[in-house]
Amino acid sequence: MQSLECHACGNKVLVAKYSPVHTSIQWIDPARDTCREFASAAIADEDTHYLPRCGALHESVDRAVRDGRLVPSRRVEPQPIESRPNEP
């Protein structure tokens, strides 16, 4: 995972980008304490556990990928091992 700072609030998170639609984000500090969007939801008494994402952070991730600051993972999915004739 790579460190990334949100352009809107400065919150730092760890990010892994696997594909254009698959991003993994690990919050270092509680999101409701550091993210404007999560904090607004908490003030409005919304359950922040189900807030799907922070739009500003999502934009920061996309921008970092475009600018080359966030390198997508080259992870390869494992392939099944084919059994050999004398193996169970």
Side-chain angles (χ1 to χ4, degrees):
M1 297 191 99
Q2 300 170 59
S3 180
L4 182 71
E5 186 174 302
C6 177
H7 75 278
C9 68
N11 183 36
K12 292 183 182 176
V13 296
L14 298 175
V15 180
K17 187 73 173 167
Y18 298 110
S19 75
V21 296
H22 184 183
T23 303
S24 179
I25 296 177
Q26 181 177 340
W27 293 83
I28 297 168
D29 295 314
R32 64 188 297 154
D33 296 338
T34 56
C35 172
R36 291 178 187 167
E37 291 186 38
F38 279 83
S40 294
I43 289 169
D45 204 26
E46 295 176 22
D47 188 352
T48 57
H49 290 98
Y50 299 106
L51 192 62
R53 67 183 180 133
C54 167
L57 183 59
H58 184 76
E59 184 180 325
S60 293
V61 170
D62 287 347
R63 188 180 300 171
V65 170
R66 281 193 310 272
D67 295 348
R69 294 179 288 123
L70 180 62
V71 180
S73 172
R74 301 288 182 226
R75 180 177 81 169
V76 177
E77 294 297 323
Q79 300 298 315
I81 298 173
E82 299 201 22
S83 62
R84 295 191 175 113
N86 293 330
E87 293 181 0

